[in-house]
Amino acid sequence: LRGYWWEGRQRRALKSLFGAYVSPERVEEMAKDPERYGMEARNEVLTVMFCDLRNFTSLSETLAPHELRELINLFLSRMSQEIAAHGGTVDKFIGDAIMALFGVPNPDRRTADNAVQAAIGMIQALDLFNEDRRRAGDAVFQIGIGIANGPVIAGTLGSPERMNYTVIGDAVNLASRIEGLTKAYGAEILICGSTSDAMAGPTLRRRVDVVRVKGQETATPLVQVLNRAEPGAALNRSLAAYAEALEAYEAGRFAEAEKGFANVVRLDPVDATAAMMRERCRLLHLHPPADWVGVWKLDSK
């Protein structure tokens, strides 16, 4: 009787803890073996995602509070469905932003692939969401998604009055910083180099820069995930041209790099990342830094 009572208590505690973060199917699966999913903090290697709604401030100024609440709840719900469908866990909502985890509480070796596929699914779901809004004559949404992986501390953290299952660590900070870079680079999905290296699937992507984000000493390659099924001949030419321009940029040959990125824009006029890099190379050519090592340093979040 004591064992039955204790097991029931563990299952109820586990459902209470994870019910708001994990899909009901996964919670039921976890409840079958509650001993496996402890609540104490532990070291884990997983993938972290941040997603942010870009034009939230201007949108909020045009809607009544109850209309804004309903719209944001619908948006967050659709994004969360894609995260859960790819094995992710919504850690928290931060206003109009989402922090999601891949690899906890359910261990998974394909966290990088799952996180990136979830991000692609979120972009596609947003496209459908925006189609409905266009037909109604409403403003459309834009999002930026940043993904990073690495070691973190995962578990129930907080005060005795309020506990929350979450993670802390460099991967969390890096994912947040990368999400913030999506707007500057004109990209919907950016991931760190280690996440790209950990991916086993053939997801189309390109390295766009090497950055050192605020708060970190080591530089990280910045990789853009391209939401396209198959690369055609035109896209292959664009990818090759970008890689050549990036090589010149990292070597400090800024005039050559500027021409290279201009060629990418000529091949793909909607390539906002190449347009931004072209402008950066123009400025660097006019004012070349004395200590250039091919890394773009970011002093702000």
Side-chain angles (χ1 to χ4, degrees), residues 32-66:
K32 296 175 182 178
D33 187 12
E35 293 286 351
R36 184 181 176 187
Y37 305 97
M39 301 179 190
E40 67 280 359
R42 61 190 187 278
N43 293 322
E44 297 282 0
V45 177
L46 50 82
T47 303
V48 183
M49 169 197 288
F50 277 86
C51 169
D52 188 54
L53 186 61
R54 286 180 179 164
N55 53 344
F56 176 72
T57 302
S58 59
L59 182 68
S60 63
E61 294 174 349
T62 63
L63 296 174
H66 71 279

PDB file of all heavy atoms in Angstrom, residues 32-66:
ATOM      1  N   LYS A  32       4.506   6.596 -16.812  1.00  0.00           N
ATOM      2  CA  LYS A  32       4.679   5.155 -16.673  1.00  0.00           C
ATOM      3  C   LYS A  32       5.994   4.798 -15.980  1.00  0.00           C
ATOM      4  O   LYS A  32       6.134   3.706 -15.443  1.00  0.00           O
ATOM      5  CB  LYS A  32       4.622   4.490 -18.052  1.00  0.00           C
ATOM      6  CG  LYS A  32       3.278   4.626 -18.756  1.00  0.00           C
ATOM      7  CD  LYS A  32       3.336   4.037 -20.162  1.00  0.00           C
ATOM      8  CE  LYS A  32       2.007   4.216 -20.888  1.00  0.00           C
ATOM      9  NZ  LYS A  32       2.057   3.703 -22.280  1.00  0.00           N
ATOM     10  N   ASP A  33       6.942   5.721 -16.016  1.00  0.00           N
ATOM     11  CA  ASP A  33       8.243   5.477 -15.388  1.00  0.00           C
ATOM     12  C   ASP A  33       8.720   6.754 -14.713  1.00  0.00           C
ATOM     13  O   ASP A  33       9.691   7.379 -15.134  1.00  0.00           O
ATOM     14  CB  ASP A  33       9.254   5.025 -16.455  1.00  0.00           C
ATOM     15  CG  ASP A  33      10.577   4.587 -15.847  1.00  0.00           C
ATOM     16  OD1 ASP A  33      10.631   4.410 -14.612  1.00  0.00           O
ATOM     17  OD2 ASP A  33      11.545   4.416 -16.606  1.00  0.00           O
ATOM     18  N   PRO A  34       8.040   7.197 -13.643  1.00  0.00           N
ATOM     19  CA  PRO A  34       8.359   8.484 -13.027  1.00  0.00           C
ATOM     20  C   PRO A  34       9.754   8.548 -12.428  1.00  0.00           C
ATOM     21  O   PRO A  34      10.320   9.637 -12.289  1.00  0.00           O
ATOM     22  CB  PRO A  34       7.279   8.636 -11.955  1.00  0.00           C
ATOM     23  CG  PRO A  34       6.806   7.254 -11.678  1.00  0.00           C
ATOM     24  CD  PRO A  34       6.928   6.522 -12.975  1.00  0.00           C
ATOM     25  N   GLU A  35      10.330   7.399 -12.063  1.00  0.00           N
ATOM     26  CA  GLU A  35      11.668   7.414 -11.470  1.00  0.00           C
ATOM     27  C   GLU A  35      12.714   7.935 -12.451  1.00  0.00           C
ATOM     28  O   GLU A  35      13.755   8.440 -12.054  1.00  0.00           O
ATOM     29  CB  GLU A  35      12.050   5.995 -11.025  1.00  0.00           C
ATOM     30  CG  GLU A  35      11.222   5.453  -9.862  1.00  0.00           C
ATOM     31  CD  GLU A  35      11.597   6.107  -8.542  1.00  0.00           C
ATOM     32  OE1 GLU A  35      12.609   6.835  -8.517  1.00  0.00           O
ATOM     33  OE2 GLU A  35      10.883   5.898  -7.552  1.00  0.00           O
ATOM     34  N   ARG A  36      12.424   7.794 -13.746  1.00  0.00           N
ATOM     35  CA  ARG A  36      13.390   8.182 -14.770  1.00  0.00           C
ATOM     36  C   ARG A  36      13.494   9.686 -14.938  1.00  0.00           C
ATOM     37  O   ARG A  36      14.473  10.218 -15.444  1.00  0.00           O
ATOM     38  CB  ARG A  36      12.984   7.534 -16.099  1.00  0.00           C
ATOM     39  CG  ARG A  36      13.948   7.762 -17.241  1.00  0.00           C
ATOM     40  CD  ARG A  36      13.406   7.092 -18.487  1.00  0.00           C
ATOM     41  NE  ARG A  36      14.256   7.367 -19.642  1.00  0.00           N
ATOM     42  CZ  ARG A  36      13.960   7.028 -20.891  1.00  0.00           C
ATOM     43  NH1 ARG A  36      12.820   6.393 -21.130  1.00  0.00           N
ATOM     44  NH2 ARG A  36      14.764   7.323 -21.881  1.00  0.00           N
ATOM     45  N   TYR A  37      12.442  10.406 -14.516  1.00  0.00           N
ATOM     46  CA  TYR A  37      12.381  11.856 -14.741  1.00  0.00           C
ATOM     47  C   TYR A  37      12.404  12.591 -13.406  1.00  0.00           C
ATOM     48  O   TYR A  37      11.384  13.053 -12.913  1.00  0.00           O
ATOM     49  CB  TYR A  37      11.116  12.209 -15.527  1.00  0.00           C
ATOM     50  CG  TYR A  37      11.009  11.452 -16.824  1.00  0.00           C
ATOM     51  CD1 TYR A  37      10.247  10.284 -16.905  1.00  0.00           C
ATOM     52  CD2 TYR A  37      11.676  11.894 -17.960  1.00  0.00           C
ATOM     53  CE1 TYR A  37      10.156   9.589 -18.100  1.00  0.00           C
ATOM     54  CE2 TYR A  37      11.590  11.195 -19.152  1.00  0.00           C
ATOM     55  CZ  TYR A  37      10.825  10.045 -19.219  1.00  0.00           C
ATOM     56  OH  TYR A  37      10.742   9.343 -20.388  1.00  0.00           O
ATOM     57  N   GLY A  38      13.588  12.678 -12.826  1.00  0.00           N
ATOM     58  CA  GLY A  38      13.711  13.352 -11.545  1.00  0.00           C
ATOM     59  C   GLY A  38      13.541  14.846 -11.673  1.00  0.00           C
ATOM     60  O   GLY A  38      13.702  15.433 -12.742  1.00  0.00           O
ATOM     61  N   MET A  39      13.187  15.482 -10.551  1.00  0.00           N
ATOM     62  CA  MET A  39      12.954  16.920 -10.559  1.00  0.00           C
ATOM     63  C   MET A  39      14.174  17.708 -10.079  1.00  0.00           C
ATOM     64  O   MET A  39      14.189  18.925 -10.150  1.00  0.00           O
ATOM     65  CB  MET A  39      11.751  17.255  -9.672  1.00  0.00           C
ATOM     66  CG  MET A  39      10.473  16.565 -10.115  1.00  0.00           C
ATOM     67  SD  MET A  39       9.084  16.964  -9.037  1.00  0.00           S
ATOM     68  CE  MET A  39       7.854  15.788  -9.637  1.00  0.00           C
ATOM     69  N   GLU A  40      15.196  16.989  -9.567  1.00  0.00           N
ATOM     70  CA  GLU A  40      16.374  17.685  -9.082  1.00  0.00           C
ATOM     71  C   GLU A  40      17.197  18.200 -10.262  1.00  0.00           C
ATOM     72  O   GLU A  40      17.146  17.656 -11.371  1.00  0.00           O
ATOM     73  CB  GLU A  40      17.222  16.765  -8.213  1.00  0.00           C
ATOM     74  CG  GLU A  40      17.884  15.604  -8.947  1.00  0.00           C
ATOM     75  CD  GLU A  40      16.954  14.426  -9.201  1.00  0.00           C
ATOM     76  OE1 GLU A  40      15.782  14.501  -8.787  1.00  0.00           O
ATOM     77  OE2 GLU A  40      17.411  13.446  -9.838  1.00  0.00           O
ATOM     78  N   ALA A  41      17.967  19.276 -10.021  1.00  0.00           N
ATOM     79  CA  ALA A  41      18.792  19.859 -11.079  1.00  0.00           C
ATOM     80  C   ALA A  41      19.899  18.887 -11.461  1.00  0.00           C
ATOM     81  O   ALA A  41      20.486  18.216 -10.614  1.00  0.00           O
ATOM     82  CB  ALA A  41      19.381  21.187 -10.601  1.00  0.00           C
ATOM     83  N   ARG A  42      20.197  18.815 -12.774  1.00  0.00           N
ATOM     84  CA  ARG A  42      21.243  17.922 -13.254  1.00  0.00           C
ATOM     85  C   ARG A  42      21.845  18.511 -14.530  1.00  0.00           C
ATOM     86  O   ARG A  42      21.242  19.351 -15.187  1.00  0.00           O
ATOM     87  CB  ARG A  42      20.682  16.527 -13.528  1.00  0.00           C
ATOM     88  CG  ARG A  42      19.602  16.489 -14.599  1.00  0.00           C
ATOM     89  CD  ARG A  42      18.920  15.141 -14.651  1.00  0.00           C
ATOM     90  NE  ARG A  42      17.988  15.040 -15.773  1.00  0.00           N
ATOM     91  CZ  ARG A  42      16.747  15.504 -15.753  1.00  0.00           C
ATOM     92  NH1 ARG A  42      16.286  16.089 -14.669  1.00  0.00           N
ATOM     93  NH2 ARG A  42      15.968  15.358 -16.797  1.00  0.00           N
ATOM     94  N   ASN A  43      23.045  18.044 -14.857  1.00  0.00           N
ATOM     95  CA  ASN A  43      23.701  18.496 -16.075  1.00  0.00           C
ATOM     96  C   ASN A  43      23.138  17.755 -17.283  1.00  0.00           C
ATOM     97  O   ASN A  43      22.986  16.528 -17.250  1.00  0.00           O
ATOM     98  CB  ASN A  43      25.210  18.254 -15.979  1.00  0.00           C
ATOM     99  CG  ASN A  43      25.863  19.117 -14.927  1.00  0.00           C
ATOM    100  OD1 ASN A  43      25.500  20.268 -14.754  1.00  0.00           O
ATOM    101  ND2 ASN A  43      26.824  18.563 -14.206  1.00  0.00           N
ATOM    102  N   GLU A  44      22.846  18.500 -18.336  1.00  0.00           N
ATOM    103  CA  GLU A  44      22.310  17.928 -19.565  1.00  0.00           C
ATOM    104  C   GLU A  44      22.942  18.638 -20.764  1.00  0.00           C
ATOM    105  O   GLU A  44      23.404  19.769 -20.664  1.00  0.00           O
ATOM    106  CB  GLU A  44      20.785  18.106 -19.639  1.00  0.00           C
ATOM    107  CG  GLU A  44      20.001  17.410 -18.548  1.00  0.00           C
ATOM    108  CD  GLU A  44      19.839  15.917 -18.791  1.00  0.00           C
ATOM    109  OE1 GLU A  44      20.362  15.426 -19.836  1.00  0.00           O
ATOM    110  OE2 GLU A  44      19.217  15.244 -17.967  1.00  0.00           O
ATOM    111  N   VAL A  45      22.976  17.950 -21.894  1.00  0.00           N
ATOM    112  CA  VAL A  45      23.350  18.566 -23.164  1.00  0.00           C
ATOM    113  C   VAL A  45      22.107  18.544 -24.035  1.00  0.00           C
ATOM    114  O   VAL A  45      21.588  17.471 -24.355  1.00  0.00           O
ATOM    115  CB  VAL A  45      24.505  17.816 -23.846  1.00  0.00           C
ATOM    116  CG1 VAL A  45      24.800  18.451 -25.213  1.00  0.00           C
ATOM    117  CG2 VAL A  45      25.749  17.831 -22.981  1.00  0.00           C
ATOM    118  N   LEU A  46      21.621  19.706 -24.396  1.00  0.00           N
ATOM    119  CA  LEU A  46      20.377  19.773 -25.165  1.00  0.00           C
ATOM    120  C   LEU A  46      20.393  20.984 -26.087  1.00  0.00           C
ATOM    121  O   LEU A  46      21.383  21.700 -26.186  1.00  0.00           O
ATOM    122  CB  LEU A  46      19.170  19.812 -24.221  1.00  0.00           C
ATOM    123  CG  LEU A  46      19.196  20.830 -23.065  1.00  0.00           C
ATOM    124  CD1 LEU A  46      18.761  22.190 -23.536  1.00  0.00           C
ATOM    125  CD2 LEU A  46      18.310  20.363 -21.950  1.00  0.00           C
ATOM    126  N   THR A  47      19.273  21.189 -26.779  1.00  0.00           N
ATOM    127  CA  THR A  47      19.139  22.290 -27.734  1.00  0.00           C
ATOM    128  C   THR A  47      18.067  23.257 -27.250  1.00  0.00           C
ATOM    129  O   THR A  47      16.993  22.833 -26.824  1.00  0.00           O
ATOM    130  CB  THR A  47      18.778  21.746 -29.127  1.00  0.00           C
ATOM    131  OG1 THR A  47      19.773  20.802 -29.530  1.00  0.00           O
ATOM    132  CG2 THR A  47      18.723  22.872 -30.149  1.00  0.00           C
ATOM    133  N   VAL A  48      18.388  24.544 -27.315  1.00  0.00           N
ATOM    134  CA  VAL A  48      17.506  25.595 -26.820  1.00  0.00           C
ATOM    135  C   VAL A  48      17.053  26.465 -27.993  1.00  0.00           C
ATOM    136  O   VAL A  48      17.853  26.804 -28.874  1.00  0.00           O
ATOM    137  CB  VAL A  48      18.212  26.475 -25.768  1.00  0.00           C
ATOM    138  CG1 VAL A  48      17.259  27.519 -25.216  1.00  0.00           C
ATOM    139  CG2 VAL A  48      18.797  25.618 -24.647  1.00  0.00           C
ATOM    140  N   MET A  49      15.774  26.807 -27.990  1.00  0.00           N
ATOM    141  CA  MET A  49      15.215  27.667 -29.030  1.00  0.00           C
ATOM    142  C   MET A  49      14.561  28.895 -28.413  1.00  0.00           C
ATOM    143  O   MET A  49      13.883  28.790 -27.401  1.00  0.00           O
ATOM    144  CB  MET A  49      14.156  26.909 -29.849  1.00  0.00           C
ATOM    145  CG  MET A  49      13.333  27.799 -30.786  1.00  0.00           C
ATOM    146  SD  MET A  49      11.797  27.033 -31.367  1.00  0.00           S
ATOM    147  CE  MET A  49      12.445  25.825 -32.508  1.00  0.00           C
ATOM    148  N   PHE A  50      14.770  30.045 -29.039  1.00  0.00           N
ATOM    149  CA  PHE A  50      14.026  31.258 -28.722  1.00  0.00           C
ATOM    150  C   PHE A  50      13.318  31.733 -29.982  1.00  0.00           C
ATOM    151  O   PHE A  50      13.918  31.785 -31.062  1.00  0.00           O
ATOM    152  CB  PHE A  50      14.953  32.370 -28.205  1.00  0.00           C
ATOM    153  CG  PHE A  50      15.285  32.266 -26.748  1.00  0.00           C
ATOM    154  CD1 PHE A  50      16.342  31.473 -26.321  1.00  0.00           C
ATOM    155  CD2 PHE A  50      14.534  32.944 -25.810  1.00  0.00           C
ATOM    156  CE1 PHE A  50      16.648  31.368 -24.975  1.00  0.00           C
ATOM    157  CE2 PHE A  50      14.832  32.853 -24.455  1.00  0.00           C
ATOM    158  CZ  PHE A  50      15.891  32.053 -24.035  1.00  0.00           C
ATOM    159  N   CYS A  51      12.057  32.068 -29.836  1.00  0.00           N
ATOM    160  CA  CYS A  51      11.253  32.604 -30.944  1.00  0.00           C
ATOM    161  C   CYS A  51      10.610  33.893 -30.475  1.00  0.00           C
ATOM    162  O   CYS A  51      10.036  33.943 -29.380  1.00  0.00           O
ATOM    163  CB  CYS A  51      10.180  31.594 -31.364  1.00  0.00           C
ATOM    164  SG  CYS A  51       8.932  32.260 -32.496  1.00  0.00           S
ATOM    165  N   ASP A  52      10.706  34.933 -31.296  1.00  0.00           N
ATOM    166  CA  ASP A  52      10.178  36.237 -30.901  1.00  0.00           C
ATOM    167  C   ASP A  52       9.360  36.840 -32.034  1.00  0.00           C
ATOM    168  O   ASP A  52       9.729  36.742 -33.211  1.00  0.00           O
ATOM    169  CB  ASP A  52      11.322  37.180 -30.521  1.00  0.00           C
ATOM    170  CG  ASP A  52      10.810  38.468 -29.912  1.00  0.00           C
ATOM    171  OD1 ASP A  52      10.036  38.401 -28.948  1.00  0.00           O
ATOM    172  OD2 ASP A  52      11.186  39.550 -30.405  1.00  0.00           O
ATOM    173  N   LEU A  53       8.256  37.457 -31.670  1.00  0.00           N
ATOM    174  CA  LEU A  53       7.401  38.159 -32.632  1.00  0.00           C
ATOM    175  C   LEU A  53       7.982  39.551 -32.849  1.00  0.00           C
ATOM    176  O   LEU A  53       8.135  40.327 -31.905  1.00  0.00           O
ATOM    177  CB  LEU A  53       5.981  38.236 -32.075  1.00  0.00           C
ATOM    178  CG  LEU A  53       4.890  38.810 -32.970  1.00  0.00           C
ATOM    179  CD1 LEU A  53       4.738  37.970 -34.233  1.00  0.00           C
ATOM    180  CD2 LEU A  53       3.569  38.842 -32.210  1.00  0.00           C
ATOM    181  N   ARG A  54       8.299  39.889 -34.103  1.00  0.00           N
ATOM    182  CA  ARG A  54       9.075  41.099 -34.364  1.00  0.00           C
ATOM    183  C   ARG A  54       8.283  42.391 -34.243  1.00  0.00           C
ATOM    184  O   ARG A  54       8.778  43.369 -33.710  1.00  0.00           O
ATOM    185  CB  ARG A  54       9.695  41.011 -35.758  1.00  0.00           C
ATOM    186  CG  ARG A  54      10.863  40.034 -35.830  1.00  0.00           C
ATOM    187  CD  ARG A  54      11.443  39.988 -37.207  1.00  0.00           C
ATOM    188  NE  ARG A  54      12.574  39.062 -37.281  1.00  0.00           N
ATOM    189  CZ  ARG A  54      13.076  38.602 -38.413  1.00  0.00           C
ATOM    190  NH1 ARG A  54      12.543  38.976 -39.560  1.00  0.00           N
ATOM    191  NH2 ARG A  54      14.092  37.777 -38.400  1.00  0.00           N
ATOM    192  N   ASN A  55       7.079  42.429 -34.756  1.00  0.00           N
ATOM    193  CA  ASN A  55       6.353  43.699 -34.799  1.00  0.00           C
ATOM    194  C   ASN A  55       5.272  43.778 -33.726  1.00  0.00           C
ATOM    195  O   ASN A  55       4.197  44.323 -33.951  1.00  0.00           O
ATOM    196  CB  ASN A  55       5.728  43.898 -36.187  1.00  0.00           C
ATOM    197  CG  ASN A  55       4.880  42.695 -36.600  1.00  0.00           C
ATOM    198  OD1 ASN A  55       4.989  41.622 -36.023  1.00  0.00           O
ATOM    199  ND2 ASN A  55       4.043  42.874 -37.608  1.00  0.00           N
ATOM    200  N   PHE A  56       5.571  43.244 -32.547  1.00  0.00           N
ATOM    201  CA  PHE A  56       4.567  43.174 -31.495  1.00  0.00           C
ATOM    202  C   PHE A  56       4.191  44.558 -30.968  1.00  0.00           C
ATOM    203  O   PHE A  56       3.013  44.840 -30.716  1.00  0.00           O
ATOM    204  CB  PHE A  56       5.078  42.295 -30.348  1.00  0.00           C
ATOM    205  CG  PHE A  56       4.145  42.252 -29.177  1.00  0.00           C
ATOM    206  CD1 PHE A  56       2.946  41.558 -29.266  1.00  0.00           C
ATOM    207  CD2 PHE A  56       4.455  42.894 -27.994  1.00  0.00           C
ATOM    208  CE1 PHE A  56       2.077  41.512 -28.192  1.00  0.00           C
ATOM    209  CE2 PHE A  56       3.596  42.855 -26.918  1.00  0.00           C
ATOM    210  CZ  PHE A  56       2.404  42.154 -27.016  1.00  0.00           C
ATOM    211  N   THR A  57       5.171  45.445 -30.796  1.00  0.00           N
ATOM    212  CA  THR A  57       4.892  46.758 -30.212  1.00  0.00           C
ATOM    213  C   THR A  57       3.929  47.563 -31.078  1.00  0.00           C
ATOM    214  O   THR A  57       2.929  48.113 -30.586  1.00  0.00           O
ATOM    215  CB  THR A  57       6.201  47.550 -30.019  1.00  0.00           C
ATOM    216  OG1 THR A  57       7.078  46.802 -29.176  1.00  0.00           O
ATOM    217  CG2 THR A  57       5.922  48.894 -29.389  1.00  0.00           C
ATOM    218  N   SER A  58       4.196  47.632 -32.386  1.00  0.00           N
ATOM    219  CA  SER A  58       3.302  48.382 -33.273  1.00  0.00           C
ATOM    220  C   SER A  58       1.942  47.709 -33.370  1.00  0.00           C
ATOM    221  O   SER A  58       0.911  48.385 -33.476  1.00  0.00           O
ATOM    222  CB  SER A  58       3.928  48.500 -34.665  1.00  0.00           C
ATOM    223  OG  SER A  58       4.180  47.222 -35.215  1.00  0.00           O
ATOM    224  N   LEU A  59       1.940  46.371 -33.309  1.00  0.00           N
ATOM    225  CA  LEU A  59       0.670  45.654 -33.370  1.00  0.00           C
ATOM    226  C   LEU A  59      -0.176  45.938 -32.135  1.00  0.00           C
ATOM    227  O   LEU A  59      -1.393  46.129 -32.225  1.00  0.00           O
ATOM    228  CB  LEU A  59       0.941  44.151 -33.489  1.00  0.00           C
ATOM    229  CG  LEU A  59      -0.280  43.240 -33.606  1.00  0.00           C
ATOM    230  CD1 LEU A  59      -0.980  43.467 -34.940  1.00  0.00           C
ATOM    231  CD2 LEU A  59       0.138  41.783 -33.471  1.00  0.00           C
ATOM    232  N   SER A  60       0.463  45.971 -30.976  1.00  0.00           N
ATOM    233  CA  SER A  60      -0.274  46.171 -29.730  1.00  0.00           C
ATOM    234  C   SER A  60      -0.923  47.542 -29.644  1.00  0.00           C
ATOM    235  O   SER A  60      -1.903  47.729 -28.925  1.00  0.00           O
ATOM    236  CB  SER A  60       0.670  45.971 -28.538  1.00  0.00           C
ATOM    237  OG  SER A  60       1.696  46.940 -28.542  1.00  0.00           O
ATOM    238  N   GLU A  61      -0.386  48.506 -30.389  1.00  0.00           N
ATOM    239  CA  GLU A  61      -0.933  49.857 -30.344  1.00  0.00           C
ATOM    240  C   GLU A  61      -2.223  49.996 -31.144  1.00  0.00           C
ATOM    241  O   GLU A  61      -2.935  50.996 -31.007  1.00  0.00           O
ATOM    242  CB  GLU A  61       0.105  50.850 -30.866  1.00  0.00           C
ATOM    243  CG  GLU A  61       1.349  50.960 -29.975  1.00  0.00           C
ATOM    244  CD  GLU A  61       2.416  51.830 -30.594  1.00  0.00           C
ATOM    245  OE1 GLU A  61       2.269  52.167 -31.793  1.00  0.00           O
ATOM    246  OE2 GLU A  61       3.389  52.168 -29.903  1.00  0.00           O
ATOM    247  N   THR A  62      -2.524  49.013 -31.997  1.00  0.00           N
ATOM    248  CA  THR A  62      -3.693  49.118 -32.867  1.00  0.00           C
ATOM    249  C   THR A  62      -4.863  48.265 -32.411  1.00  0.00           C
ATOM    250  O   THR A  62      -5.928  48.311 -33.033  1.00  0.00           O
ATOM    251  CB  THR A  62      -3.316  48.707 -34.302  1.00  0.00           C
ATOM    252  OG1 THR A  62      -2.912  47.325 -34.300  1.00  0.00           O
ATOM    253  CG2 THR A  62      -2.175  49.559 -34.829  1.00  0.00           C
ATOM    254  N   LEU A  63      -4.695  47.490 -31.334  1.00  0.00           N
ATOM    255  CA  LEU A  63      -5.734  46.557 -30.902  1.00  0.00           C
ATOM    256  C   LEU A  63      -6.162  46.839 -29.472  1.00  0.00           C
ATOM    257  O   LEU A  63      -5.358  47.302 -28.646  1.00  0.00           O
ATOM    258  CB  LEU A  63      -5.229  45.113 -31.004  1.00  0.00           C
ATOM    259  CG  LEU A  63      -4.906  44.592 -32.405  1.00  0.00           C
ATOM    260  CD1 LEU A  63      -4.282  43.211 -32.302  1.00  0.00           C
ATOM    261  CD2 LEU A  63      -6.139  44.559 -33.281  1.00  0.00           C
ATOM    262  N   ALA A  64      -7.411  46.525 -29.187  1.00  0.00           N
ATOM    263  CA  ALA A  64      -7.896  46.589 -27.810  1.00  0.00           C
ATOM    264  C   ALA A  64      -7.249  45.450 -27.013  1.00  0.00           C
ATOM    265  O   ALA A  64      -6.863  44.429 -27.597  1.00  0.00           O
ATOM    266  CB  ALA A  64      -9.416  46.447 -27.785  1.00  0.00           C
ATOM    267  N   PRO A  65      -7.122  45.602 -25.691  1.00  0.00           N
ATOM    268  CA  PRO A  65      -6.446  44.569 -24.886  1.00  0.00           C
ATOM    269  C   PRO A  65      -7.005  43.165 -25.080  1.00  0.00           C
ATOM    270  O   PRO A  65      -6.234  42.201 -25.213  1.00  0.00           O
ATOM    271  CB  PRO A  65      -6.656  45.068 -23.450  1.00  0.00           C
ATOM    272  CG  PRO A  65      -6.770  46.547 -23.594  1.00  0.00           C
ATOM    273  CD  PRO A  65      -7.477  46.774 -24.886  1.00  0.00           C
ATOM    274  N   HIS A  66      -8.330  43.015 -25.116  1.00  0.00           N
ATOM    275  CA  HIS A  66      -8.886  41.669 -25.256  1.00  0.00           C
ATOM    276  C   HIS A  66      -8.629  41.106 -26.652  1.00  0.00           C
ATOM    277  O   HIS A  66      -8.442  39.889 -26.813  1.00  0.00           O
ATOM    278  CB  HIS A  66     -10.391  41.684 -24.952  1.00  0.00           C
ATOM    279  CG  HIS A  66     -11.233  42.354 -25.990  1.00  0.00           C
ATOM    280  ND1 HIS A  66     -11.377  43.732 -26.044  1.00  0.00           N
ATOM    281  CD2 HIS A  66     -11.953  41.849 -27.035  1.00  0.00           C
ATOM    282  CE1 HIS A  66     -12.167  44.043 -27.061  1.00  0.00           C
ATOM    283  NE2 HIS A  66     -12.529  42.920 -27.676  1.00  0.00           N
TER     284      HIS A  66
END
